[in-house]
Amino acid sequence: MEQNPNWWKQAVIYQIYPRSFQDSNADGYGDIPGIISRLDYLKTLGIDAIWLSPVCRSPQYDNGYDVSDYQDIDPMFGTLEDMDRLISEAKKRDIRIILDLVLNHTSHEHPWFLEAKKSRDNPYHDFYIWRDAEPGERTDGSIADFGDGSWQWVPEVEQFYYYQFSVWQPDLNWSNPKVRQALYDMINWWSDRGVGGFRLDVVDHLGKEPFQHIKVDGPKLHDYIKEMSAAAFRRPGLVTVGEAWSSNPTSAKLYSNPDGSELSMVFQFEHILLDKQPGGDKWDLAALPLRKFKDVMCRWQQSLHGCGWNSLFYENHDLPRIVSRWGDEGKYRVESAKMLAILLFGMEGTPYIYQGQELGMTNIHLGLEEYNDIETRNMIAARRAAGYSDESILRSAYGRSRDNARTPMQWSDAPNAGFTEGTPWLKVNENYPEINAEKQVDQPGSVFECYRELIRLRREYPVITGGSFDLLLEEDEDIFAYTRTDGAHKLLVICNFRDREIENPLKEQLRNMTCLISNYDMPSDTLRPYEAMMYYQ
Ligand code: GLC
C-alpha cells in the first residue's frame, strides 16, 4: 500500500462513531481500547482505513465536535497512549486511521476561547470573530437553533462572538494567519504520530464572512485550503476528505483536483437532500424521488470522471439509517440493504461504510424525552413552540434524528448487544437479538457477507475503480441501472427500488454477461422486490 500514493482510490473506508462502537470499561461509552478489540472484525470485513469521529478532549456538548484540546484524547475514550496503540495495531492489519478535524470552531472551553474572552487586547482575542453591539441592540438575545449561526454577548469584553452551530462552538477567525498556523502545526503533530489522513468537518465554512452574511463558499475558501494543503497535507499517501454540504460538481473539481493542491475528495450531499418537502428543512420528510436521485448520481459520476474524485456514501453519524430511509426496514430489510450496497459499490469513487450499515442496522424509535442529540433537542423545542403536534415531531425525529445512527453497535444477542456491560449512554435498538454481527459474520446470505464480497470485487475488477459511467433506463420510475466501461470490460448494475416484482427490461443484455453478485439465490427473468444484480463481461 505504501508504494501507491493514490491507494484511497481502490480503498473502502469505515466510519467509527467511538462513543457507540465498543465499550471496554463498562462506563456505558465506547472507547479506544474497545475499538482495538474489534480491529479483527474490521479486517474480516476487508476495509482499508477507519475514519474516527472526534476523540479529542471535549466537554461533549456536540459529542466531540466541540474540541477543547486538539492534542489530547478525551478521558471518555482513553489516553494518547491508547491512540498510539490503535494506530500501530491498525497498521499491523494494513488499516489506516483517519482523524476528524474540527477546524471551523472550538469548544467555548478551549483555552484559546477562555483567553479570548478575557479582554479585547488579549493575544487570543483575534482567534475568534467579534462585533460590537449596535446602538440600542439587546445583549440578552435568544440562542439560535443549531446550524443557524448567530452572535452571543460576552459581558467581559462587551462584544458578541460569532457561532455557526451551537452557542458552545465559537467560530475560529480564519482570516487571522496565527489561527491557521496553529491549526496546521496541530495537524502535522498528528501526522507525525502516524495518522494516515483527515476528515475535515464543515470545510466549506472555513472562508465564511459573517459580516457579509456569507456562511459557506466564501471568497477565500479555496486559498485557505490550498495553503493548508501545502502546509500539512503533502505527505505521501495521506488521504483527506472534506465535509462540504454546499459543494456542487464544479466546486468539487477544485476540492478534489488530481494535482493534489487541495484535498483527496469531498463528501457532497446533493443526493442526501432530495427526500424532503420543497421549501422545507430536513425534518419535513418526503419519499425519495428516484429519477432525481439517478440524475444527481449520474451527474456527479460523469462530472468528476478523470478530473476529480467522488466519495460514495449514504450514512454517517448525522444521517438516518439507509435501509430505513430508502429501503424497507421490515419484510425486505435484508434484500433492500444489499440492493443499496450493490448500487453504491459499483460506482466510481471511494465508498464509506458507517458502523452497523454493513449489518443493515435500522433507525430507532425513541420517546421525545429520550433524544440526546443537540440538534434534535433544539428541533423538538422549536417545533413545540411553533405549535407542531407531538406526533408530527416524533415522525420527523424517527425519520431524520442524528440519534438514529448513534445507537450502540449491535455485536451479539448478549445484554446491550455486547456493546457494554454497563448502562449504554443511548438506548440500544431493541431489534439487536435479530440484527447483530455475530449472526452475520461468515453467514452466507447476510448483509455483512454482501458488503465483504463487494469490497473484494472492487479490488478484483479495475473497471469498478476506473470505468466511465452511463445511466440506463433514465426514464424508468422504479429501476436504477447503469454501466461502467473501460477499454476491455463492462460492468452492469441493475436495482429494483420497489417492494414488488417488476419486468426486467435489460434481461436480453444480461444473457451474455456473468453475474458477479446479486441479492437473490435463484436467477429470474423478472426483478423481484428490491432485487439487485451486478454483471460483468
Ligand atoms: C458536522 C458534523 C456534525 C457536527 C457539525 C458541527 O456537520 O458532522 O456532527 O455537529 O459539523 O461541528
Side-chain angles (χ1 to χ4, degrees):
M1 260 206 291
E2 226 51 57
Q3 281 82 357
N4 177 6
N6 287 337
W7 62 275
W8 40 269
K9 294 197 171 177
Q10 279 94 41
V12 175
I13 300 179
Y14 187 92
Q15 183 189 354
I16 289 183
Y17 196 62
R19 61 159 63 205
S20 301
F21 194 62
Q22 177 66 65
D23 182 14
S24 73
N25 60 358
D27 66 354
Y29 293 94
D31 47 43
I32 295 173
I35 297 173
I36 296 172
S37 74
R38 294 296 185 180
L39 286 173
D40 288 333
Y41 167 82
L42 298 175
K43 187 69 197 164
T44 303
L45 180 57
I47 54 105
D48 303 275
I50 297 169
W51 152 28
L52 272 190
S53 276
V55 288
C56 288
R57 202 176 266 273
S58 157
Q60 305 286 333
Y61 284 87
D62 188 19
N63 294 2
Y65 286 92
D66 48 326
V67 177
S68 57
D69 185 345
Y70 289 105
Q71 288 170 238
D72 200 4
I73 299 296
D74 197 275
M76 168 198 273
F77 299 123
T79 60
L80 263 179
E81 288 67 46
D82 291 329
M83 187 67 194
D84 290 341
R85 204 156 59 82
L86 172 61
I87 294 170
S88 66
E89 286 296 319
K91 195 166 182 193
K92 281 187 203 159
R93 294 164 176 85
D94 275 332
I95 295 175
R96 302 169 195 240
I97 300 294
I98 297 172
L99 281 197
D100 209 321
L101 286 176
V102 189
L103 307 178
N104 178 68
H105 45 265
T106 66
S107 159
H108 66 309
E109 292 181 15
H110 193 289
W112 294 343
F113 191 67
L114 298 179
E115 285 297 311
K117 66 177 202 177
K118 280 185 182 158
S119 71
R120 292 186 187 198
D121 49 20
N122 187 287
Y124 288 96
H125 190 69
D126 278 352
F127 267 47
Y128 296 86
I129 301 166
W130 301 92
R131 74 167 173 82
D132 299 333
E134 305 285 337
E137 186 179 3
R138 290 179 61 159
T139 56
D140 58 352
S142 62
I143 289 170
D145 231 354
F146 186 84
D148 284 348
S150 193
W151 298 87
Q152 179 68 16
W153 185 250
V154 176
E156 292 94 319
V157 291
E158 299 196 311
Q159 279 180 311
F160 294 97
Y161 69 84
Y162 180 74
Y163 66 93
Q164 175 61 49
F165 293 92
S166 81
V167 70
W168 303 289
Q169 292 162 297
D171 275 45
L172 283 164
N173 176 13
W174 266 72
S175 67
N176 179 349
K178 286 193 187 136
V179 168
R180 305 203 300 272
Q181 193 56 50
L183 294 172
Y184 305 159
D185 291 346
M186 174 275 288
I187 300 172
N188 280 313
W189 181 87
W190 276 114
S191 295
D192 291 342
R193 279 195 112 86
V195 156
F198 301 96
R199 176 257 187 190
L200 291 94
D201 192 54
V202 294
V203 74
D204 50 346
H205 286 260
L206 299 184
K208 75 193 117 5
E209 300 279 350
F211 297 103
Q212 291 165 48
H213 305 287
I214 299 176
K215 288 182 185 171
V216 289
D217 289 335
K220 300 218 188 84
L221 174 64
H222 291 278
D223 292 341
Y224 291 154
I225 298 178
K226 285 200 181 89
E227 181 190 84
M228 171 162 49
S229 174
F233 297 153
R234 298 283 162 81
R235 300 192 186 218
L238 197 86
V239 63
T240 50
V241 51
E243 181 201 25
W245 283 80
S246 66
S247 59
N248 54 43
T250 308
S251 64
K253 279 185 214 167
L254 298 176
Y255 285 122
S256 66
N257 192 326
D259 71 3
S261 56
E262 297 200 11
L263 307 171
S264 313
M265 66 193 117
V266 281
F267 292 124
Q268 62 87 11
F269 292 85
E270 223 186 307
H271 58 311
I272 294 296
L273 293 167
L274 291 172
D275 54 356
K276 60 183 175 90
Q277 300 289 339
D281 60 27
K282 75 175 211 177
W283 305 108
D284 301 308
L285 317 184
L288 176 71
L290 185 65
R291 283 183 53 187
K292 272 198 194 146
F293 174 52
K294 295 198 287 191
D295 177 59
V296 165
M297 297 309 278
C298 176
R299 193 151 33 78
W300 278 88
Q301 287 286 299
Q302 293 180 340
S303 321
L304 296 194
H305 183 67
C307 56
W309 193 250
N310 272 292
S311 64
L312 303 171
F313 75 99
Y314 297 125
E315 291 190 19
N316 66 31
H317 62 292
D318 294 328
L319 302 173
R321 293 295 185 175
I322 199 60
V323 68
S324 300
R325 187 177 191 175
W326 295 345
D328 173 2
E329 61 175 27
K331 185 168 172 200
Y332 295 112
R333 185 186 65 83
V334 172
E335 289 80 359
S336 62
K338 291 184 194 171
M339 180 276 280
L340 289 160
I342 292 170
L343 179 73
L344 198 68
F345 273 64
M347 293 187 188
E348 180 174 64
T350 302
Y352 288 75
I353 302 172
Y354 177 73
Q355 65 182 45
Q357 181 183 338
E358 77 281 16
L359 305 176
M361 276 177 63
T362 64
N363 283 355
I364 192 167
H365 289 193
L366 294 169
L368 276 181
E369 310 308 324
E370 287 175 313
Y371 282 94
N372 170 281
D373 165 39
I374 186 171
E375 185 195 40
T376 313
R377 284 191 280 117
N378 286 352
M379 177 280 283
I380 295 171
R383 293 214 159 184
R384 275 187 163 159
Y388 286 75
S389 69
D390 280 3
E391 196 197 340
S392 112
I393 296 174
L394 271 176
R395 215 175 317 116
S396 297
Y398 291 163
R400 294 290 180 275
S401 170
R402 306 198 295 183
D403 283 339
N404 286 309
R406 298 178 180 186
T407 62
M409 178 72 178
Q410 293 166 207
W411 293 108
S412 69
D413 59 9
N416 297 317
F419 162 69
T420 179
E421 288 172 4
T423 308
W425 72 275
L426 185 66
K427 252 195 188 170
V428 178
N429 196 315
E430 56 192 30
N431 60 22
Y432 76 86
E434 186 208 334
I435 304 174
N436 64 63
E438 213 174 75
K439 270 198 150 174
Q440 297 195 28
V441 178
D442 292 331
Q443 291 309 309
S446 68
V447 180
F448 180 92
E449 290 300 323
C450 175
Y451 272 95
R452 187 179 182 179
E453 180 62 6
L454 285 168
I455 295 173
R456 201 191 61 73
L457 290 172
R458 287 186 71 91
R459 272 192 243 291
E460 194 175 323
Y461 293 92
V463 67
I464 306 184
T465 312
S468 59
F469 181 98
D470 287 290
L471 191 61
L472 303 177
L473 309 175
E474 242 164 276
E475 314 282 309
D476 196 289
E477 302 282 349
D478 306 314
I479 298 173
F480 194 149
Y482 63 85
T483 53
R484 301 285 311 287
T485 321
D486 62 18
H489 296 288
K490 179 157 138 186
L491 189 85
L492 192 155
V493 175
I494 177 163
C495 298
N496 175 8
F497 262 73
R498 305 297 168 214
D499 62 359
R500 54 175 197 277
E501 190 166 358
I502 55 177
E503 291 279 298
N504 181 355
L506 300 179
K507 60 173 184 268
E508 293 308 324
Q509 278 200 46
L510 301 179
R511 295 215 198 280
N512 309 321
M513 302 180 81
T514 314
C515 183
L516 298 183
I517 190 167
S518 78
N519 59 352
Y520 276 81
D521 283 343
M522 302 294 284
S524 149
D525 267 355
T526 60
L527 288 171
R528 289 157 289 187
Y530 296 104
E531 182 156 7
M533 296 176 281
M534 184 183 278
Y535 275 79
Y536 181 74
Q537 90 183 355

